[in-house]
Amino acid sequence: MEVFVQLLANTLQIGSVYVLFALGLTLIFGVMKIVNFAHGAFFTAAALVVTSVMPFATATLGLSLPASYLLAAIAAFAVVLCIGAVVFSFGFQYVLKDLNGSFILSIGLLLVLNGIYLAIYGGAPRSVPQVLPDTINIFGARLTEQRLALVIIAIVVTGGLYLLIERTRLGLALRAVAQDQEAAMLQGMPYRRVALSGFLIGAALAACAGVLMAPINAVTTVSGDEFLIKAFIIIIIGGLGSVAGAIVGGLFIGMVESVGGYFFDPSTATLAMFILVIAFLLVRPQGILGNAD
Amino acid sequence: MQIRSPGVWACVALAVAAVLFALLATNPYHASLVVWILTNAVLAAALRFVLQIGELNIATAAFFGVGAYTTSICAVLLGWPFWLTLLLAPLVAALLSALFGWVTLRTKGPYFLLVSFAFTEVVRLIYTQINVIGGNSGLVGMFPPMAIDAHYPAFAAALLAAALFALYGVERSDLGRLFKAIRNNDAIPRSVGLNVVFLKVLCVVIAAAAVGLAGGLHAYANNVIAPSDFSYFVAILALAYVKIGGEGHPMGPVVGAAVLTLVGQRVAGISAWENIFYGAVIVVALLAFPGGLIGLAGRVRGLVRGGAR
């Protein structure tokens, strides 16, 4: 029972970060029909900003730990949205709907951004103190409050995104563009602006994951890239462009990783995921929740 | 129905010159640089070869590694003869790529791209997990036989150049036309009764065989290989060579590999600037010079001719 609850807790905690990460990737694909190889760079930027603003806020400004974390989070979102707007307006908007071209562009951007991070921050891992260091017991499973907060925030953000897509005008535009860009433009929707909004929301989701993970794991200049291979596997399983697929796939891969990592080792878990993906592609080349086309 | 252009003979002359240079160079560094450039050229040409059917094959890096590991395992662990180990490298790479292609190329959209990336990283992970093949530290001690040891760079350069010509030959053949037809609109080749999935797999297999051979030659040239030599970054560099040289022309990957390998000698080792350099090359080439250096040269020539008239 204890093991079961512990594994469930691990699944939720690993899975919720994966869900946030994969949601951004799948949203950007849905709206712009591009696969953003540089998605991890948004995550990394947010985490790195947190590691540099938090010590500054506590030491120089004398703020309390939660207040400085909040300030760091705001700074992180601002930085990521700026990076997102810059790479969109100087790059991605010229390769919309060009799958290979945009992928190649995003590879180039990833190299440039990683190089810049490395030049600024160097290679050493950076860490910040946990804001909620206490541990709680749920049915015998141990979970830090920090990780519990991560899961709750991820659920709230995912719910918020769902409402945004289903209930707002912007969400309607995003869905319309994802379904049929030309028909949406004929209805008078400004495609470029909708694409930019979708891109920035996607970037913000990656930033959210980065801000949440910064106090939990040490941050390096390539932290975000480690999620990329798993995010790819998630969106293959869930179907590219499918929001529900990203949620289901993210939790599923979180489960494979926590259960596989517990009984075997992390490498075996990654291998198992890949074999699963191949099996999925053989049976359903369009993903579990993907459409046939 | 092949059109013989004078450019082909110029390329043959260039290849002969490269082999002769590797044979006669007194500085071993210069000789190995020729091999390194041609290895990169084969990687880039293979990447471009699969781009013919409209797919970006990150697993180019994986098949390079498979070739290198096949040769090294057969040579170091099994003690098989040199020629056999070198022959097996392209064969094993081709076989594995056939399986990989058969699974991934039946899908539509970006799945091939995504799986080829995941495949590359997973294959690398597998190398690190097997202790017999050295785990993280890899394998050491692949040496060419004594008889050709002194001239190995020239030998490798000749084989790599041959691989480049073979890729070009296929591209100019009827099969190459079919690949281009698939890229343009795969419904048309299908409508005349061609098996499009088989042709796509064939394209990936041919490219993988060339890359596998390059991997085997790389193992003997380097004498040591490690899993980290075969990450997806290898394919990204190959992509940079293709983009800077020009995707539209068969010589593009070769020009790109030569230019960037030589320039790269200056930035290598400074990790941050190396990343920024290659990244900027890709971004600028993609956005500003879609035809690469060769496209640029063509445009300049057109301007000069236009001005003369």
Side-chain angles (χ1 to χ4, degrees):
Chain A
M1 180 66 191
E2 270 177 44
V3 172
F4 177 75
V5 176
Q6 185 71 56
L7 287 180
L8 186 70
N10 290 355
T11 298
L12 278 178
Q13 172 223 320
I14 301 171
S16 54
V17 178
Y18 287 167
V19 167
L20 287 181
F21 196 91
L23 269 179
L25 206 57
T26 211
L27 188 75
I28 291 174
F29 178 82
V31 178
M32 297 165 67
K33 297 291 176 283
I34 68 173
V35 178
N36 183 16
F37 201 73
H39 201 63
F42 295 138
F43 177 101
T44 311
L48 285 174
V49 169
V50 169
T51 64
S52 49
V53 172
M54 253 182 95
F56 171 77
T58 41
T60 315
L61 302 179
L63 291 174
S64 68
L65 217 49
S68 57
Y69 183 64
L70 202 64
L71 184 72
I74 294 169
F77 275 105
V79 168
V80 168
L81 289 178
C82 283
I83 297 176
V86 167
V87 296
F88 183 88
S89 33
F90 290 100
F92 283 116
Q93 69 158 319
Y94 300 107
V95 287
L96 290 174
K97 307 198 81 170
D98 171 5
L99 187 67
N100 279 345
S102 59
F103 191 73
I104 293 168
L105 176 70
S106 66
I107 286 176
L109 286 174
L110 177 71
L111 290 184
V112 172
L113 287 172
N114 274 356
I116 293 173
Y117 301 159
L118 199 58
I120 298 175
Y121 287 99
R126 303 162 59 82
S127 56
V128 289
Q130 299 210 348
V131 184
L132 304 163
D134 294 339
T135 310
I136 50 166
N137 274 302
I138 311 171
F139 298 115
R142 291 161 57 76
L143 191 66
T144 60
E145 286 181 1
Q146 184 81 45
R147 287 169 192 257
L148 187 67
L150 179 153
V151 173
I152 293 169
I153 294 172
I155 292 172
V156 169
V157 169
T158 308
L161 180 78
Y162 183 79
L163 286 181
L164 178 107
I165 289 177
E166 293 295 325
R167 295 285 161 82
T168 64
R169 246 176 94 80
L170 175 63
L172 189 68
L174 289 172
R175 275 182 295 147
V177 164
Q179 230 169 52
D180 189 334
Q181 176 230 334
E182 278 165 14
M185 283 173 87
L186 283 175
Q187 301 295 318
M189 279 180 203
Y191 176 48
R192 241 164 249 278
R193 226 168 62 206
V194 176
L196 176 62
S197 316
F199 188 74
L200 290 183
I201 294 170
L205 286 167
C208 183
V211 168
L212 289 174
M213 281 304 279
I216 292 178
N217 279 355
V219 182
T220 68
T221 54
V222 292
S223 285
D225 304 341
E226 287 152 22
F227 288 95
L228 200 63
I229 178 168
K230 299 206 173 112
F232 277 14
I233 289 174
I234 290 164
I235 56 181
I236 291 168
I237 292 176
L240 258 177
S242 160
V243 169
I247 297 171
V248 174
L251 291 175
F252 179 70
I253 290 302
M255 187 184 80
V256 173
E257 184 167 327
S258 69
V259 174
Y262 180 82
F263 289 108
F264 304 100
D265 63 297
S267 310
T268 314
T270 308
L271 213 61
M273 281 174 218
F274 184 73
I275 292 165
L276 274 171
V277 160
I278 295 297
F280 264 114
L281 283 178
L282 282 170
V283 183
R284 275 187 73 83
Q286 66 276 32
I288 354 176
L289 296 169
N291 297 319
D293 206 303
Chain B
M1 156 86 220
Q2 271 193 5
I3 306 153
R4 294 257 166 241
S5 61
V8 177
W9 295 110
C11 292
V12 172
L14 200 65
V16 171
V19 173
L20 281 179
F21 179 79
L23 194 63
L24 302 174
T26 46
N27 186 340
Y29 168 74
H30 290 151
S32 63
L33 199 58
V34 172
V35 177
W36 188 226
I37 288 175
L38 282 168
T39 304
N40 287 338
V42 169
L43 283 167
L47 193 80
R48 177 178 171 276
F49 194 80
V50 181
L51 274 171
Q52 283 186 106
I53 57 166
E55 300 284 5
L56 184 61
N57 187 9
I58 303 291
T60 303
F63 299 129
F64 183 58
V66 167
Y69 262 94
T70 303
T71 293
S72 306
I73 289 169
C74 292
V76 176
L77 299 180
L78 305 174
W80 288 2
F82 174 75
W83 299 101
L84 185 62
T85 62
L86 213 50
L87 183 70
L88 280 173
L91 284 182
V92 173
L95 201 70
L96 197 65
S97 71
L99 268 174
F100 168 79
W102 179 71
V103 174
T104 50
L105 286 165
R106 298 182 314 143
T107 60
K108 279 197 160 179
Y111 292 108
F112 178 82
L113 191 72
L114 301 179
V115 180
S116 72
F117 169 69
F119 178 77
T120 307
E121 290 304 286
V122 165
V123 169
R124 197 172 57 88
L125 190 70
I126 293 174
Y127 297 145
T128 64
Q129 296 302 304
I130 304 176
N131 286 327
V132 186
I133 59 167
N136 269 315
S137 39
L139 286 163
V140 190
M142 298 71 75
F143 295 105
M146 294 296 266
I148 61 164
D149 192 29
H151 308 302
Y152 184 73
F155 169 79
L159 277 184
L160 291 167
L164 285 172
F165 281 110
L167 287 178
Y168 173 71
V170 176
E171 186 183 338
R172 292 300 294 266
S173 70
D174 290 346
L175 188 58
R177 282 158 212 272
L178 288 179
F179 292 154
K180 291 214 171 74
I182 290 173
R183 178 185 196 159
N184 290 338
N185 183 353
D186 71 355
I188 295 173
R190 190 177 294 127
S191 72
V192 295
L194 291 165
N195 186 340
V196 169
V197 173
F198 172 77
L199 285 170
K200 283 184 174 177
V201 174
L202 188 61
C203 183
V204 170
V205 168
I206 293 171
V211 163
L213 176 68
L217 290 168
H218 168 76
Y220 278 116
N222 224 28
N223 312 126
V224 47
I225 58 168
S228 55
D229 300 345
F230 309 111
S231 75
Y232 71 95
F233 199 69
V234 171
I236 290 180
L237 287 184
L239 183 64
Y241 305 146
V242 173
K243 276 289 150 196
I244 193 76
E247 194 192 323
H249 197 279
M251 274 302 279
V254 182
V255 172
V259 170
L260 283 192
T261 307
L262 291 174
V263 178
Q265 300 291 318
R266 306 227 166 259
V267 287
I270 320 160
S271 176
W273 291 105
E274 195 180 2
N275 275 347
I276 294 175
F277 171 73
Y278 286 111
V281 163
I282 293 177
V283 171
V284 172
L286 185 86
L287 293 175
F289 311 106
L293 286 173
I294 291 202
L296 204 64
R299 247 186 359 214
V300 169
R301 209 165 52 191
L303 276 180
V304 171
R305 274 191 197 154
R309 267 172 208 160

